[in-house]
Amino acid sequence: MSHVYRWHPRLTAGIDGPMVGKSSLHLQQSDLDGACGHHCALMSLLLLGEITRDDLDGKPKRALSAFWRSARPHYFAGTKPNKLASFFKPYRDAVTSRVVAKDLPEEIRQTLHADGLAIVGIHNASFDHWTLAVGIGGQEGFLEDEKLLLLDPTFPPFSMMPWNATLSLNPSRRGWHNYDTPAGRAKVCISEAVCLLPSIEEMDLEID
């Protein structure tokens, strides 16, 4: 049986891991912050072409400054889904963001197949976490085996790999999803997702 993997068309990989254009994409959080959502949001904006690594390293442009004004108070406290979605308001002409809490597997699947991204909220008794879904893959013809391909800010990138973790898209009979990372496998629930899509105008510009 063949396996099929599909990820965002702007995403590639190099020696240092995931790339967008000629720049490294992955952003890794520290052990002390509660900023997994922030890191996922910034990686999303990098991948969608709304910011560059130079923007992060230098004086931020107007939209990015507005992003940080909204996001900074939550850097050590963690971020709820509606607040995380609101971080994208400075980019609303280019990116649509919406919180999804129902029919999550199908909503996330449709978003990824439309060349969007999904910041996925997962939790179990030990942690609450945001991780960025950049693609989907699995055994061809078996939807029940589909996995989300993740850029997870908790872990370092893998060389020559566009992702560094996976999450089973469909739950087990007990409602658990397999979250596979360099630290091993954990059983988690998917609680919600912030689904991101380029605006119609942005898509038209790319087609032109």
Side-chain angles (χ1 to χ4, degrees):
M1 289 288 184
S2 62
H3 288 71
V4 177
Y5 296 91
R6 183 183 188 278
W7 53 88
H8 194 276
R10 288 175 54 87
L11 176 61
T12 60
I15 294 296
D16 295 325
M19 306 282 290
V20 56
K22 295 182 179 180
S23 299
S24 175
L25 173 60
H26 189 69
L27 298 173
Q28 188 174 356
Q29 68 182 112
S30 77
D31 293 333
L32 301 178
D33 65 51
C36 49
H38 300 63
H39 286 71
C40 289
L42 289 168
M43 287 192 287
S44 299
L45 291 170
L46 286 165
L47 191 48
L48 293 171
E50 295 306 313
I51 61 174
T52 68
R53 292 296 294 225
D54 288 341
D55 294 330
L56 297 180
D57 296 335
K59 183 178 180 180
K61 297 177 181 177
R62 184 175 180 179
L64 187 56
S65 294
F67 172 98
W68 279 118
R69 282 196 298 273
S70 176
R72 188 174 290 113
H74 305 275
Y75 200 85
F76 291 100
T79 312
K80 299 296 184 183
N82 287 323
K83 175 56 68 173
L84 180 57
S86 76
F87 292 173
F88 294 91
K89 284 183 179 179
Y91 300 92
R92 58 184 172 270
D93 291 339
V95 180
T96 62
S97 64
R98 64 188 182 95
V99 176
V100 175
K102 295 181 179 179
D103 301 321
L104 283 161
E106 186 57 28
E107 291 279 0
I108 295 170
R109 182 185 293 110
Q110 289 183 9
T111 297
L112 296 175
H113 280 292
D115 292 336
L117 302 166
I119 304 176
V120 182
I122 59 175
H123 71 274
N124 61 21
S126 300
F127 65 87
D128 291 278
H129 183 51
W130 292 107
T131 185
L132 178 62
V134 296
I136 194 168
Q139 192 168 308
E140 190 172 16
F142 292 85
L143 290 179
E144 65 274 14
D145 292 334
E146 282 184 315
K147 294 181 179 181
L148 298 179
L149 312 178
L150 306 177
L151 276 180
D152 198 298
T154 299
F155 303 100
F158 291 143
S159 180
M160 305 305 296
M161 283 285 288
W163 62 88
N164 66 343
T166 63
L167 178 68
S168 59
L169 182 57
N170 298 291
S172 68
R173 292 180 181 178
R174 295 186 177 183
W176 294 109
H177 299 257
N178 292 327
Y179 172 51
D180 291 302
T181 73
R185 171 171 288 183
K187 301 291 186 182
V188 300
C189 292
I190 299 179
S191 49
E192 59 273 308
V194 177
C195 291
L196 307 169
L197 285 168
S199 68
I200 298 298
E201 290 81 2
E202 287 285 305
M203 293 173 70
D204 288 342
L205 286 173
E206 290 187 8
I207 291 171
D208 293 341

